[in-house]
Amino acid sequence: MDAPKKRIFSGIKPSGNLTLGSYIGAIKNWVALQDEYDCLYCVVDMHAITVRQDPALLRRRTLEQLAQYIACGLDPERNIMYIQSHVPAHAELSWVLGCYTMFGELSRMTQFKDKSRKNADNINAGLFTYPVLMAADILLYQADLVPVGEDQKQHVEIARDIANRFNNVYSQTFTLPEPFIPKTGARVMSLADPMSKMSKSEQDGDGCICLLDKPDDIMRAFKRAVTDSETCVRFDKENKPGVSNLMTIYSAATGKSFEDIENEFAGRGYGDFKAAVGESVVELLRPVREKTEDLLKNKDYLEQIYTEGARRAAFLASKTLDKVYRKVGFVKQPRI
């Protein structure tokens, strides 16, 4: 008899358009995981409102993000794909877990400090407690693995700490999740500032490529990409961060090794190199953009996907939430 598949949970906020970094660093790897694991991929709209959002824009981006998940190759039949706010158990478990999370743990979270600096006029309680909601997202589904970048491991660690604390008080309740950092995952940096990660927050500048960007806009951004005063295409993250970032992107788009890329552009200037990287990204994203545009014309199909996804997710979530409610001493809910 085959062993049960391990379960993976991951999600991205619809607080901006998905970027090339989101695709290369996360979603491309999700596609590779869908045969080997039981996967839940969520549009985490509840996390998005820790920062003020335009309501109409948030709704639009939520549907666009779901469409892009599918356009990137995620199969709604093989994965549970849903919108976080459609499964109330996320918020319900978050409240319980918040009562088992220490103030000091939350105050040490790196992202809280970072976001507080960037949103000094809106340091709200949700910004402080969002790691508890993130823990609820993961623990609700008894996830074994959480695909994250190196900079996100702290969130999985606090989820483990909360789960451990609850398990020690009430006996085994939650699976302890492990961070899953795919070997093929590349961290894509900003084209304008190669020392910073490519971020949805810089979408109005030249540093970010979004999945739905037009080819001309993509080429323009790569032509303006920061390099250095040399003319040699060589991978050296410390001394040549801009060129190394472009090589990382080109490698992800074409499958070529860094050695192949260095040989291809030996004796050629950065102009040729930037143009080649831009063209490779245009072709990488073309089918994603075109399929997303087609999917967004079929709102009924998207509604069918997120409705069925929420139903499947809620069924799994209810098993964990019922167990938690019983263990903390809540009276069994009546069927209404």
Side-chain angles (χ1 to χ4, degrees), residues 150 185-189 194-195 227-228 234-248 258 262:
E150 287 285 353
R187 193 175 186 205
V188 176
M189 311 305 279
M195 302 306 292
T227 50
D228 53 52
R234 172 171 52 84
F235 192 83
D236 182 347
K237 281 180 82 170
E238 188 174 335
N239 297 307
K240 298 171 71 69
V243 171
S244 299
N245 185 43
L246 292 175
M247 289 180 70
T248 297
F258 291 149
E262 288 176 6

PDB file of all heavy atoms in Angstrom, residues 150 185-189 194-195 227-228 234-248 258 262:
ATOM      1  N   GLU A 150      14.314  31.723   1.951  1.00  0.00           N
ATOM      2  CA  GLU A 150      15.138  31.813   3.169  1.00  0.00           C
ATOM      3  C   GLU A 150      14.647  32.918   4.098  1.00  0.00           C
ATOM      4  O   GLU A 150      14.698  32.793   5.318  1.00  0.00           O
ATOM      5  CB  GLU A 150      16.610  32.074   2.782  1.00  0.00           C
ATOM      6  CG  GLU A 150      17.334  30.875   2.179  1.00  0.00           C
ATOM      7  CD  GLU A 150      17.710  29.828   3.218  1.00  0.00           C
ATOM      8  OE1 GLU A 150      17.539  30.080   4.424  1.00  0.00           O
ATOM      9  OE2 GLU A 150      18.168  28.744   2.814  1.00  0.00           O
ATOM     10  N   GLY A 185      14.692  26.871  -6.572  1.00  0.00           N
ATOM     11  CA  GLY A 185      14.121  28.193  -6.339  1.00  0.00           C
ATOM     12  C   GLY A 185      15.181  29.285  -6.418  1.00  0.00           C
ATOM     13  O   GLY A 185      16.184  29.224  -5.728  1.00  0.00           O
ATOM     14  N   ALA A 186      14.971  30.257  -7.278  1.00  0.00           N
ATOM     15  CA  ALA A 186      15.920  31.354  -7.414  1.00  0.00           C
ATOM     16  C   ALA A 186      15.316  32.613  -6.811  1.00  0.00           C
ATOM     17  O   ALA A 186      14.130  32.875  -6.967  1.00  0.00           O
ATOM     18  CB  ALA A 186      16.240  31.578  -8.888  1.00  0.00           C
ATOM     19  N   ARG A 187      16.124  33.370  -6.120  1.00  0.00           N
ATOM     20  CA  ARG A 187      15.652  34.632  -5.541  1.00  0.00           C
ATOM     21  C   ARG A 187      15.933  35.742  -6.537  1.00  0.00           C
ATOM     22  O   ARG A 187      17.081  36.069  -6.824  1.00  0.00           O
ATOM     23  CB  ARG A 187      16.361  34.887  -4.214  1.00  0.00           C
ATOM     24  CG  ARG A 187      15.689  35.999  -3.422  1.00  0.00           C
ATOM     25  CD  ARG A 187      16.326  36.155  -2.063  1.00  0.00           C
ATOM     26  NE  ARG A 187      15.594  37.130  -1.263  1.00  0.00           N
ATOM     27  CZ  ARG A 187      16.110  37.820  -0.268  1.00  0.00           C
ATOM     28  NH1 ARG A 187      17.368  37.645   0.063  1.00  0.00           N
ATOM     29  NH2 ARG A 187      15.388  38.674   0.414  1.00  0.00           N
ATOM     30  N   VAL A 188      14.875  36.320  -7.069  1.00  0.00           N
ATOM     31  CA  VAL A 188      15.001  37.358  -8.081  1.00  0.00           C
ATOM     32  C   VAL A 188      15.039  38.716  -7.397  1.00  0.00           C
ATOM     33  O   VAL A 188      14.177  39.037  -6.577  1.00  0.00           O
ATOM     34  CB  VAL A 188      13.835  37.290  -9.092  1.00  0.00           C
ATOM     35  CG1 VAL A 188      13.922  38.431 -10.101  1.00  0.00           C
ATOM     36  CG2 VAL A 188      13.857  35.951  -9.816  1.00  0.00           C
ATOM     37  N   MET A 189      16.031  39.518  -7.749  1.00  0.00           N
ATOM     38  CA  MET A 189      16.216  40.829  -7.139  1.00  0.00           C
ATOM     39  C   MET A 189      15.672  41.923  -8.054  1.00  0.00           C
ATOM     40  O   MET A 189      15.401  41.712  -9.238  1.00  0.00           O
ATOM     41  CB  MET A 189      17.701  41.063  -6.845  1.00  0.00           C
ATOM     42  CG  MET A 189      18.392  39.905  -6.123  1.00  0.00           C
ATOM     43  SD  MET A 189      17.584  39.416  -4.581  1.00  0.00           S
ATOM     44  CE  MET A 189      18.246  40.672  -3.479  1.00  0.00           C
ATOM     45  N   PRO A 194      19.658  45.800  -7.252  1.00  0.00           N
ATOM     46  CA  PRO A 194      19.908  44.356  -7.157  1.00  0.00           C
ATOM     47  C   PRO A 194      20.285  43.867  -5.765  1.00  0.00           C
ATOM     48  O   PRO A 194      20.486  42.670  -5.564  1.00  0.00           O
ATOM     49  CB  PRO A 194      21.053  44.128  -8.155  1.00  0.00           C
ATOM     50  CG  PRO A 194      21.691  45.452  -8.333  1.00  0.00           C
ATOM     51  CD  PRO A 194      20.621  46.477  -8.139  1.00  0.00           C
ATOM     52  N   MET A 195      20.355  44.771  -4.785  1.00  0.00           N
ATOM     53  CA  MET A 195      20.592  44.356  -3.406  1.00  0.00           C
ATOM     54  C   MET A 195      19.273  44.087  -2.680  1.00  0.00           C
ATOM     55  O   MET A 195      19.260  43.592  -1.557  1.00  0.00           O
ATOM     56  CB  MET A 195      21.396  45.424  -2.646  1.00  0.00           C
ATOM     57  CG  MET A 195      22.736  45.749  -3.285  1.00  0.00           C
ATOM     58  SD  MET A 195      23.782  44.304  -3.562  1.00  0.00           S
ATOM     59  CE  MET A 195      24.167  43.867  -1.863  1.00  0.00           C
ATOM     60  N   THR A 227      23.568  47.543 -13.901  1.00  0.00           N
ATOM     61  CA  THR A 227      24.650  46.553 -14.042  1.00  0.00           C
ATOM     62  C   THR A 227      25.871  47.071 -13.281  1.00  0.00           C
ATOM     63  O   THR A 227      25.825  47.239 -12.081  1.00  0.00           O
ATOM     64  CB  THR A 227      24.956  46.286 -15.528  1.00  0.00           C
ATOM     65  OG1 THR A 227      25.130  47.534 -16.220  1.00  0.00           O
ATOM     66  CG2 THR A 227      23.837  45.486 -16.185  1.00  0.00           C
ATOM     67  N   ASP A 228      26.976  47.332 -13.978  1.00  0.00           N
ATOM     68  CA  ASP A 228      28.184  47.876 -13.342  1.00  0.00           C
ATOM     69  C   ASP A 228      29.055  48.497 -14.427  1.00  0.00           C
ATOM     70  O   ASP A 228      28.670  48.536 -15.594  1.00  0.00           O
ATOM     71  CB  ASP A 228      28.935  46.783 -12.564  1.00  0.00           C
ATOM     72  CG  ASP A 228      29.228  45.552 -13.405  1.00  0.00           C
ATOM     73  OD1 ASP A 228      29.785  45.712 -14.505  1.00  0.00           O
ATOM     74  OD2 ASP A 228      28.884  44.428 -12.973  1.00  0.00           O
ATOM     75  N   ARG A 234      29.579  37.921 -16.034  1.00  0.00           N
ATOM     76  CA  ARG A 234      30.178  36.919 -15.147  1.00  0.00           C
ATOM     77  C   ARG A 234      29.379  36.880 -13.847  1.00  0.00           C
ATOM     78  O   ARG A 234      28.973  37.909 -13.322  1.00  0.00           O
ATOM     79  CB  ARG A 234      31.634  37.317 -14.884  1.00  0.00           C
ATOM     80  CG  ARG A 234      32.367  36.498 -13.846  1.00  0.00           C
ATOM     81  CD  ARG A 234      33.862  36.866 -13.855  1.00  0.00           C
ATOM     82  NE  ARG A 234      34.090  38.310 -13.729  1.00  0.00           N
ATOM     83  CZ  ARG A 234      34.119  38.966 -12.565  1.00  0.00           C
ATOM     84  NH1 ARG A 234      33.910  38.317 -11.419  1.00  0.00           N
ATOM     85  NH2 ARG A 234      34.350  40.268 -12.523  1.00  0.00           N
ATOM     86  N   PHE A 235      29.156  35.655 -13.339  1.00  0.00           N
ATOM     87  CA  PHE A 235      28.368  35.522 -12.112  1.00  0.00           C
ATOM     88  C   PHE A 235      29.254  35.777 -10.891  1.00  0.00           C
ATOM     89  O   PHE A 235      30.200  35.050 -10.627  1.00  0.00           O
ATOM     90  CB  PHE A 235      27.738  34.128 -12.006  1.00  0.00           C
ATOM     91  CG  PHE A 235      26.699  34.038 -10.919  1.00  0.00           C
ATOM     92  CD1 PHE A 235      25.402  34.452 -11.151  1.00  0.00           C
ATOM     93  CD2 PHE A 235      27.030  33.574  -9.653  1.00  0.00           C
ATOM     94  CE1 PHE A 235      24.438  34.394 -10.153  1.00  0.00           C
ATOM     95  CE2 PHE A 235      26.083  33.512  -8.640  1.00  0.00           C
ATOM     96  CZ  PHE A 235      24.782  33.925  -8.890  1.00  0.00           C
ATOM     97  N   ASP A 236      28.926  36.854 -10.183  1.00  0.00           N
ATOM     98  CA  ASP A 236      29.655  37.231  -8.968  1.00  0.00           C
ATOM     99  C   ASP A 236      28.704  38.090  -8.132  1.00  0.00           C
ATOM    100  O   ASP A 236      28.631  39.304  -8.306  1.00  0.00           O
ATOM    101  CB  ASP A 236      30.921  38.005  -9.341  1.00  0.00           C
ATOM    102  CG  ASP A 236      31.754  38.397  -8.115  1.00  0.00           C
ATOM    103  OD1 ASP A 236      31.247  38.296  -6.984  1.00  0.00           O
ATOM    104  OD2 ASP A 236      32.913  38.826  -8.304  1.00  0.00           O
ATOM    105  N   LYS A 237      27.941  37.438  -7.252  1.00  0.00           N
ATOM    106  CA  LYS A 237      26.872  38.137  -6.523  1.00  0.00           C
ATOM    107  C   LYS A 237      27.400  39.289  -5.675  1.00  0.00           C
ATOM    108  O   LYS A 237      26.733  40.305  -5.508  1.00  0.00           O
ATOM    109  CB  LYS A 237      26.116  37.148  -5.622  1.00  0.00           C
ATOM    110  CG  LYS A 237      25.120  36.308  -6.368  1.00  0.00           C
ATOM    111  CD  LYS A 237      24.393  35.347  -5.467  1.00  0.00           C
ATOM    112  CE  LYS A 237      23.250  36.024  -4.760  1.00  0.00           C
ATOM    113  NZ  LYS A 237      22.375  35.063  -4.057  1.00  0.00           N
ATOM    114  N   GLU A 238      28.605  39.132  -5.162  1.00  0.00           N
ATOM    115  CA  GLU A 238      29.140  40.152  -4.255  1.00  0.00           C
ATOM    116  C   GLU A 238      29.609  41.394  -5.009  1.00  0.00           C
ATOM    117  O   GLU A 238      29.305  42.523  -4.628  1.00  0.00           O
ATOM    118  CB  GLU A 238      30.289  39.563  -3.431  1.00  0.00           C
ATOM    119  CG  GLU A 238      30.755  40.501  -2.339  1.00  0.00           C
ATOM    120  CD  GLU A 238      31.793  39.846  -1.428  1.00  0.00           C
ATOM    121  OE1 GLU A 238      31.813  38.602  -1.322  1.00  0.00           O
ATOM    122  OE2 GLU A 238      32.576  40.599  -0.841  1.00  0.00           O
ATOM    123  N   ASN A 239      30.349  41.173  -6.076  1.00  0.00           N
ATOM    124  CA  ASN A 239      30.939  42.297  -6.796  1.00  0.00           C
ATOM    125  C   ASN A 239      30.136  42.744  -8.020  1.00  0.00           C
ATOM    126  O   ASN A 239      30.320  43.867  -8.499  1.00  0.00           O
ATOM    127  CB  ASN A 239      32.364  41.937  -7.233  1.00  0.00           C
ATOM    128  CG  ASN A 239      33.268  41.676  -6.036  1.00  0.00           C
ATOM    129  OD1 ASN A 239      33.360  42.506  -5.132  1.00  0.00           O
ATOM    130  ND2 ASN A 239      33.912  40.511  -6.014  1.00  0.00           N
ATOM    131  N   LYS A 240      29.279  41.849  -8.531  1.00  0.00           N
ATOM    132  CA  LYS A 240      28.482  42.169  -9.716  1.00  0.00           C
ATOM    133  C   LYS A 240      27.017  41.747  -9.483  1.00  0.00           C
ATOM    134  O   LYS A 240      26.491  40.870 -10.177  1.00  0.00           O
ATOM    135  CB  LYS A 240      29.053  41.446 -10.949  1.00  0.00           C
ATOM    136  CG  LYS A 240      30.484  41.861 -11.308  1.00  0.00           C
ATOM    137  CD  LYS A 240      31.076  40.979 -12.394  1.00  0.00           C
ATOM    138  CE  LYS A 240      30.477  41.193 -13.755  1.00  0.00           C
ATOM    139  NZ  LYS A 240      30.810  42.511 -14.354  1.00  0.00           N
ATOM    140  N   PRO A 241      26.355  42.354  -8.481  1.00  0.00           N
ATOM    141  CA  PRO A 241      25.003  41.904  -8.132  1.00  0.00           C
ATOM    142  C   PRO A 241      23.981  42.099  -9.253  1.00  0.00           C
ATOM    143  O   PRO A 241      23.101  41.264  -9.449  1.00  0.00           O
ATOM    144  CB  PRO A 241      24.642  42.757  -6.906  1.00  0.00           C
ATOM    145  CG  PRO A 241      25.537  43.956  -6.977  1.00  0.00           C
ATOM    146  CD  PRO A 241      26.803  43.463  -7.598  1.00  0.00           C
ATOM    147  N   GLY A 242      24.109  43.209  -9.999  1.00  0.00           N
ATOM    148  CA  GLY A 242      23.156  43.462 -11.075  1.00  0.00           C
ATOM    149  C   GLY A 242      23.261  42.442 -12.187  1.00  0.00           C
ATOM    150  O   GLY A 242      22.257  41.871 -12.636  1.00  0.00           O
ATOM    151  N   VAL A 243      24.480  42.197 -12.652  1.00  0.00           N
ATOM    152  CA  VAL A 243      24.703  41.216 -13.719  1.00  0.00           C
ATOM    153  C   VAL A 243      24.343  39.817 -13.237  1.00  0.00           C
ATOM    154  O   VAL A 243      23.722  39.026 -13.966  1.00  0.00           O
ATOM    155  CB  VAL A 243      26.174  41.275 -14.206  1.00  0.00           C
ATOM    156  CG1 VAL A 243      26.477  40.121 -15.154  1.00  0.00           C
ATOM    157  CG2 VAL A 243      26.453  42.613 -14.886  1.00  0.00           C
ATOM    158  N   SER A 244      24.688  39.497 -12.001  1.00  0.00           N
ATOM    159  CA  SER A 244      24.378  38.177 -11.450  1.00  0.00           C
ATOM    160  C   SER A 244      22.869  37.955 -11.379  1.00  0.00           C
ATOM    161  O   SER A 244      22.373  36.855 -11.640  1.00  0.00           O
ATOM    162  CB  SER A 244      25.000  38.023 -10.059  1.00  0.00           C
ATOM    163  OG  SER A 244      26.404  38.136 -10.133  1.00  0.00           O
ATOM    164  N   ASN A 245      22.124  39.016 -11.045  1.00  0.00           N
ATOM    165  CA  ASN A 245      20.659  38.918 -11.004  1.00  0.00           C
ATOM    166  C   ASN A 245      20.101  38.658 -12.402  1.00  0.00           C
ATOM    167  O   ASN A 245      19.215  37.811 -12.588  1.00  0.00           O
ATOM    168  CB  ASN A 245      20.081  40.216 -10.431  1.00  0.00           C
ATOM    169  CG  ASN A 245      18.583  40.159 -10.248  1.00  0.00           C
ATOM    170  OD1 ASN A 245      18.030  39.161  -9.777  1.00  0.00           O
ATOM    171  ND2 ASN A 245      17.893  41.217 -10.617  1.00  0.00           N
ATOM    172  N   LEU A 246      20.622  39.375 -13.386  1.00  0.00           N
ATOM    173  CA  LEU A 246      20.176  39.163 -14.767  1.00  0.00           C
ATOM    174  C   LEU A 246      20.520  37.746 -15.239  1.00  0.00           C
ATOM    175  O   LEU A 246      19.734  37.112 -15.956  1.00  0.00           O
ATOM    176  CB  LEU A 246      20.818  40.195 -15.694  1.00  0.00           C
ATOM    177  CG  LEU A 246      20.356  41.649 -15.496  1.00  0.00           C
ATOM    178  CD1 LEU A 246      21.157  42.585 -16.407  1.00  0.00           C
ATOM    179  CD2 LEU A 246      18.868  41.793 -15.757  1.00  0.00           C
ATOM    180  N   MET A 247      21.669  37.231 -14.825  1.00  0.00           N
ATOM    181  CA  MET A 247      22.041  35.857 -15.190  1.00  0.00           C
ATOM    182  C   MET A 247      21.102  34.846 -14.534  1.00  0.00           C
ATOM    183  O   MET A 247      20.718  33.841 -15.148  1.00  0.00           O
ATOM    184  CB  MET A 247      23.491  35.582 -14.779  1.00  0.00           C
ATOM    185  CG  MET A 247      24.523  36.306 -15.623  1.00  0.00           C
ATOM    186  SD  MET A 247      26.239  35.965 -15.097  1.00  0.00           S
ATOM    187  CE  MET A 247      26.433  34.246 -15.608  1.00  0.00           C
ATOM    188  N   THR A 248      20.717  35.113 -13.287  1.00  0.00           N
ATOM    189  CA  THR A 248      19.780  34.233 -12.585  1.00  0.00           C
ATOM    190  C   THR A 248      18.443  34.182 -13.328  1.00  0.00           C
ATOM    191  O   THR A 248      17.853  33.113 -13.527  1.00  0.00           O
ATOM    192  CB  THR A 248      19.552  34.732 -11.141  1.00  0.00           C
ATOM    193  OG1 THR A 248      20.790  34.678 -10.437  1.00  0.00           O
ATOM    194  CG2 THR A 248      18.515  33.899 -10.417  1.00  0.00           C
ATOM    195  N   PHE A 258      25.005  28.989 -15.699  1.00  0.00           N
ATOM    196  CA  PHE A 258      25.768  30.235 -15.656  1.00  0.00           C
ATOM    197  C   PHE A 258      26.997  30.152 -16.562  1.00  0.00           C
ATOM    198  O   PHE A 258      27.370  31.134 -17.216  1.00  0.00           O
ATOM    199  CB  PHE A 258      26.194  30.543 -14.219  1.00  0.00           C
ATOM    200  CG  PHE A 258      25.053  30.913 -13.308  1.00  0.00           C
ATOM    201  CD1 PHE A 258      25.091  30.605 -11.953  1.00  0.00           C
ATOM    202  CD2 PHE A 258      23.938  31.571 -13.789  1.00  0.00           C
ATOM    203  CE1 PHE A 258      24.043  30.952 -11.116  1.00  0.00           C
ATOM    204  CE2 PHE A 258      22.877  31.924 -12.969  1.00  0.00           C
ATOM    205  CZ  PHE A 258      22.935  31.606 -11.623  1.00  0.00           C
ATOM    206  N   GLU A 262      27.879  32.725 -19.567  1.00  0.00           N
ATOM    207  CA  GLU A 262      29.154  33.450 -19.650  1.00  0.00           C
ATOM    208  C   GLU A 262      29.803  33.230 -21.010  1.00  0.00           C
ATOM    209  O   GLU A 262      30.328  34.170 -21.630  1.00  0.00           O
ATOM    210  CB  GLU A 262      30.080  32.988 -18.519  1.00  0.00           C
ATOM    211  CG  GLU A 262      29.649  33.484 -17.142  1.00  0.00           C
ATOM    212  CD  GLU A 262      30.517  32.932 -16.020  1.00  0.00           C
ATOM    213  OE1 GLU A 262      31.519  32.257 -16.318  1.00  0.00           O
ATOM    214  OE2 GLU A 262      30.189  33.184 -14.844  1.00  0.00           O
TER     215      GLU A 262
END
